[in-house]
Amino acid sequence: MAKEDEKKESGEWKEFFWNPRTHELLGRTASSWGLILLFYLVFYTFLAGMFCLTMYVMLLTLDDYHPTWQDRLATPGMMIRPRGEALEIIYNVDQTESWDKYIQALDNFLEPYNNSQQVMNNDACTPDKYFIQEDSGEVRNNPKRSCQFNRTMLGNCSGLTDRTYGYEEGQPCVLIKLNRVIGMLPGKDGQTPYVSCGAKKEDSDSIHEIAFFPTNGTFNLMYYPYYGKKAQVNYSQPLVAVKFLNISMNTDVDVECKINSNTITQFSERDKFAGRITFKLRINKM
């Protein structure tokens, strides 16, 4: 009796998969399967069409050269080169391999700032005034020109007169740059923003003398406003080099650098990179 029940169930499954009398596959005829497949084909084609139409309409609202919506930060971010791990620059003066990586990083970063490259790609602009390049109505003034920032402007931190950027002598150079913000004007009334650096309170006696390049650590107004990567292809970010001339050896020194400007006055306590940056500098020497 059990074998007959198993045989009957097996036959029912086979008949469900393919019924030779009604020519049904999985309980449906060929025409039924055809209608279902046609329905889903039309349905998913419609969904794909709606998605493409939505994306097309959205793209029509976007500008290739300027963001349609821009969450303007009150204060631009700041970063250093070389960065090191966890914003730490630690090396031993007597061990070349400990600071050679910083030299290579600076060489690679400054290569586009070579005078020959800048003269070929950018203009010699009038300093201390914004380089405004407005569009004429709907006619775009693109590509926009950029001002030269020559590597020689970094003086003793250019890597040209001192190939080790002072790391060999225990007087390292650190480059500072502001993040790019489209349309930002970092100073008014002709006042140029500048960088200041100092040690945290607990390390105030460790940092001593500092030199800035260009003079006074300024970001000249001629490099602003920035018009975007696509509109201003050859834009070179201005840099400020900080050279630590007499920093305490064999000591952890927390250095804080910040931007000073009459248009950048807000510094967020929650964002440590907004208009300022803190990094650790330790130079060991036997």
Side-chain angles (χ1 to χ4, degrees):
M1 187 67 177
K3 291 183 177 180
E4 290 180 0
D5 290 341
E6 290 179 3
K7 186 175 182 181
K8 184 178 179 181
E9 289 180 3
S10 177
E12 288 176 354
W13 276 105
K14 289 180 180 179
E15 188 172 311
F16 173 73
F17 183 77
W18 170 249
N19 191 326
R21 291 180 293 100
T22 59
H23 296 89
E24 292 180 348
L25 177 67
L26 298 177
R28 293 186 179 276
T29 62
S31 59
S32 177
W33 277 114
L35 289 173
I36 287 179
L37 292 175
L38 179 62
F39 168 78
Y40 281 109
L41 177 63
V42 173
F43 177 69
Y44 285 114
T45 300
F46 173 77
L47 289 182
M50 285 294 294
F51 174 76
C52 292
L53 179 62
T54 303
M55 291 297 295
Y56 175 73
V57 173
M58 184 189 71
L59 291 173
L60 288 178
T61 66
L62 301 180
D63 192 319
D64 290 339
Y65 298 95
H66 193 278
T68 305
W69 304 103
Q70 186 174 0
D71 184 13
R72 174 66 61 82
L73 297 174
T75 307
M78 182 178 280
M79 188 48 65
I80 63 170
R81 292 292 187 277
R83 264 190 306 203
E85 297 182 4
L87 293 179
E88 296 180 347
I89 300 176
I90 303 173
Y91 73 96
N92 191 310
V93 173
D94 303 314
Q95 298 175 1
T96 305
E97 64 277 6
S98 69
W99 47 263
D100 186 60
K101 59 183 178 181
Y102 299 128
I103 306 308
Q104 293 181 18
L106 289 171
D107 282 341
N108 293 335
F109 180 74
L110 288 176
E111 186 175 354
Y113 290 92
N114 287 336
N115 289 22
S116 58
Q117 289 276 60
Q118 291 294 313
V119 169
M120 182 172 58
N121 295 326
N122 297 329
D123 295 354
C125 302
T126 303
D128 302 324
K129 59 182 295 186
Y130 290 124
F131 190 28
I132 305 294
Q133 303 174 74
E134 297 179 347
D135 297 328
S136 300
E138 295 184 359
V139 180
R140 296 187 180 278
N141 178 23
N142 291 329
K144 299 185 186 298
R145 304 188 306 280
S146 301
C147 296
Q148 295 178 18
F149 188 94
N150 296 315
R151 188 169 176 173
T152 50
M153 296 170 66
L154 297 176
N156 293 337
C157 290
S158 65
L160 300 176
T161 56
D162 179 5
R163 300 299 302 171
T164 68
Y165 301 91
Y167 282 77
E168 186 176 21
E169 294 81 24
Q171 298 180 336
C173 291
V174 176
L175 304 182
I176 296 178
K177 68 184 185 73
L178 283 177
N179 290 348
R180 302 180 185 187
V181 178
I182 294 178
M184 182 183 72
L185 301 175
K188 63 181 180 180
D189 301 328
Q191 294 188 24
T192 302
Y194 65 94
V195 172
S196 61
C197 294
K200 291 286 191 178
K201 291 182 179 179
E202 58 272 19
D203 300 321
S204 58
D205 296 330
S206 302
I207 199 167
H208 306 298
E209 188 178 359
I210 300 175
F212 292 93
F213 306 94
T215 306
N216 300 324
T218 58
F219 290 111
N220 202 286
L221 298 180
M222 66 181 176
Y223 300 107
Y224 303 95
Y226 172 59
Y227 289 97
K229 187 175 182 179
K230 192 168 184 179
Q232 212 167 1
V233 180
N234 295 320
Y235 181 76
S236 296
Q237 284 179 270
L239 305 172
V240 167
V242 184
K243 188 174 182 66
F244 299 91
L245 299 174
N246 191 24
I247 196 166
S248 297
M249 299 290 177
N250 306 311
T251 304
D252 289 343
V253 182
D254 288 324
V255 182
E256 182 180 69
C257 296
K258 66 177 183 178
I259 185 70
N260 300 274
S261 169
N262 55 9
T263 62
I264 303 175
T265 57
Q266 299 179 12
F267 295 91
S268 172
E269 293 298 328
R270 292 178 296 178
D271 188 352
K272 62 181 180 180
F273 297 107
R276 61 184 175 184
I277 188 167
T278 300
F279 58 95
K280 183 168 79 173
L281 181 59
R282 181 185 179 94
I283 307 174
N284 295 319
K285 188 174 183 180
M286 300 298 292

